[in-house]
Amino acid sequence: MAGVAALAFMVVLEIAARRYGEPGPLTDQAREAIFAPASGPLLYAGLALTTVVLTWRQRFVAAGAAVGIDVAFTLVRWAAGARVTEGHAFGNGALWAILGCAVVALTRRTGADRVLLLKGVGLGLLLVAGRKTGDAWLLITSKTRPAVLDQYVATADHALGSPSWVMGRLVEATAPVGPHVLDWVYAQLAVAAAVAALYQLRDVAAERRFPRHHLVRTFLLIGLLGPAVYMIYPVVGPVFLYGTGAFGTGGAEWAVADIWPDVLPPLGPPHPVTYDGVTPRNCMPSLHTAWAVAIFIHTRRSPRFLRYAGTFWLVATLTATLGFGYHYGIDLVAGVVFAVTIEAALRSYDRGWDRSGIRLVAHGVVVFAAVLAASRYLSLEMARHPWLSGPLLLLAMASVIHGYVRTTRRWEPRTAAVPRQAEAQLEPALSPPAQRAAPAKSYTAQSTTGR
């Protein structure tokens, strides 16, 4: 049912994208079987997720096939004189390997083994298709929402001290190393999620089943629901409305003023502004922030290296979203609330809805809606009283985080510490040497009495 629903959704987006003269997610994905893919690392991350259902020998075979196909594609392009101008020169092999696993599942596997392998293929393809679906969503936002609400968000952002302007100057001061590192972190967020998910799914091949909850579910649901909010609250970002744009879109002719990140936007009554029909309206909430928060949450019970990596990715992503001018500060606040609420909803669904889960999700939804409504209808009042509205925004976000931590801790089993304590107390009496010695002493005592 989930596969059919995902396919139907992608077909709808394909039709919608073609109405605007652009290829949709299905066409883009099909083209990457032959042409240079948009993201080679993402395709290999999808292959890695697929192989969690395979044995180690089968994983090496799949990886070797992917690399071999990529080498063949490279040689053919070199012989034909075809230069890769966009995307990556590798990744086709990973897609072919995933599709090969699907063929093996349908032709060589039966029963539960077939279902498990098809689930692995679906997991890998969903990670890849998620990006294609997001691109189609962003195209629709740029075509159907000509007016943007950036002035409202920028005005409300005075309550937080306009952090995008501050961070933008800091990132410029660290050039060229700082911007290059942050750009790589920002672009490879899905790959980082795949690495974290691989640790969570490391036992799938042995246990022959997937865990009830893992990072990929949260990651995909954030990408599915987030763009719907973009349609309600279209925002392009400070580098576009107050700068010269990025990614080849926007420009000084569309900006209300070329002041980012040197001069703060003037404080005055905000109003909608017409922007170009190309730049995605993808700021409110910040989905990059939401995804980074999800990675951070799901790496808390991982080895130390993954915990540190999850923390680094969160901090670097927050820095990049602000420092490159892609988001305002309130976007990040909304993104944190959005991610925590979705994670809470998924965990509540898995364990069965009860009063604590409903209360936690409802609290997150109310705070998220309040942040959006306040930045739209109370932006000028928030800017005029920053010492009140700023702390209130942060406290609202903190209340959602605190509620999530407190509630989920109650959901965890508390009996794990009791057996360890009991084992420690009983270990001297139940150790093998003691068990061997006890019968001997008893026999000696009986013999002495008999004599």
Side-chain angles (χ1 to χ4, degrees), residues 25-378:
L26 295 177
T27 303
D28 278 341
Q29 192 60 71
R31 290 182 74 256
E32 292 191 346
I34 302 297
F35 298 98
S39 177
L42 182 63
L43 286 171
Y44 271 94
L47 175 62
L49 287 179
T50 299
T51 59
V52 298
V53 301
L54 303 178
T55 63
W56 278 107
R57 179 180 177 276
Q58 293 166 342
R59 291 171 186 173
F60 285 123
V61 171
V67 174
I69 294 173
D70 268 334
V71 171
F73 267 88
T74 301
L75 293 176
V76 170
R77 291 191 183 109
W78 174 76
R83 299 181 60 185
V84 177
T85 57
E86 295 182 0
H88 293 89
F90 64 94
N92 306 94
L95 180 58
W96 278 102
I98 296 174
L99 297 177
C101 289
V103 173
V104 170
L106 295 175
T107 59
R108 304 290 299 275
R109 301 289 178 87
T110 59
D113 289 340
R114 172 185 289 177
V115 173
L116 185 67
L117 184 53
L118 287 177
K119 285 183 178 181
V121 171
L123 190 67
L125 289 178
L126 277 176
L127 180 69
V128 178
R131 175 166 180 165
K132 305 299 181 185
T133 304
D135 292 342
W137 260 117
L138 298 182
L139 171 67
I140 294 172
T141 63
S142 64
K143 300 298 183 182
T144 60
R145 294 295 182 268
V148 298
L149 305 178
D150 282 69
Q151 286 198 355
Y152 293 90
V153 183
T155 301
D157 216 38
H158 279 80
L160 298 175
S162 299
S164 181
W165 271 257
V166 177
M167 196 61 67
R169 292 193 291 270
L170 290 176
V171 171
E172 285 185 350
T174 63
V177 177
H180 281 297
V181 173
L182 293 177
D183 182 66
W184 181 80
V185 170
Y186 190 85
Q188 302 302 331
L189 187 64
V191 178
V195 172
L198 284 174
Y199 177 78
Q200 291 183 320
L201 303 176
R202 65 193 184 278
D203 296 328
V204 171
E207 298 179 355
R208 312 305 295 168
R209 64 179 180 85
F210 280 85
R212 177 174 295 182
H213 180 53
H214 51 83
L215 174 59
V216 180
R217 299 174 70 208
T218 307
F219 205 84
L220 293 174
L221 193 57
I222 289 174
L224 178 65
L225 298 180
V229 185
Y230 295 160
M231 302 291 290
I232 303 172
Y233 210 114
V235 181
V236 291
V239 73
F240 295 97
L241 199 71
Y242 298 99
T244 56
F247 306 115
T249 61
E253 66 274 14
W254 292 100
V256 297
D258 187 5
I259 58 176
W260 185 88
D262 301 314
V263 181
L264 291 178
L267 189 60
H271 57 84
V273 177
T274 302
Y275 207 75
D276 68 15
V278 180
T279 304
R281 280 61 168 159
N282 61 342
C283 275
M284 180 64 83
S286 169
L287 292 195
H288 265 78
T289 297
W291 284 321
V293 169
I295 294 174
F296 177 81
I297 292 174
H298 281 265
T299 54
R300 292 309 87 197
R301 295 190 174 183
S302 301
R304 182 179 301 176
F305 171 76
L306 282 179
R307 293 200 305 271
Y308 288 166
T311 303
F312 166 77
W313 228 272
L314 175 61
V315 174
T317 300
L318 298 180
T319 304
T321 54
L322 293 174
F324 291 144
Y326 301 153
H327 290 280
Y328 303 91
I330 293 182
D331 302 343
L332 274 61
V333 173
V336 172
V337 176
F338 189 69
V340 174
T341 303
I342 287 181
E343 179 69 19
L346 286 173
R347 294 196 60 177
S348 298
Y349 173 79
D350 290 335
R351 69 183 302 273
W353 289 98
D354 57 9
R355 182 176 298 179
S356 62
I358 295 174
R359 187 188 304 115
L360 177 61
V361 175
H363 177 56
V365 171
V366 169
V367 171
F368 181 73
V371 171
L372 266 64
S375 58
R376 174 64 174 84
Y377 299 105
L378 301 174

Side-chain angles (χ1 to χ4, degrees), residues 156 158-161 330 333-334 337 363 366-368 370-372 374-375 378 381-383 385-401:
H158 279 80
L160 298 175
I330 293 182
V333 173
V337 176
H363 177 56
V366 169
V367 171
F368 181 73
V371 171
L372 266 64
S375 58
L378 301 174
E381 288 74 10
M382 293 171 65
H385 304 89
W387 294 107
L388 175 62
S389 54
L392 285 178
L393 272 174
L394 297 178
L395 284 174
M397 178 185 70
S399 69
V400 176
I401 298 173

Side-chain angles (χ1 to χ4, degrees), residues 395-420:
L395 284 174
M397 178 185 70
S399 69
V400 176
I401 298 173
H402 177 263
Y404 173 82
V405 173
R406 182 184 60 182
T407 303
T408 53
R409 280 181 178 175
R410 293 175 180 174
W411 292 347
E412 299 297 332
R414 299 183 178 182
T415 58
V418 177
R420 289 196 298 267

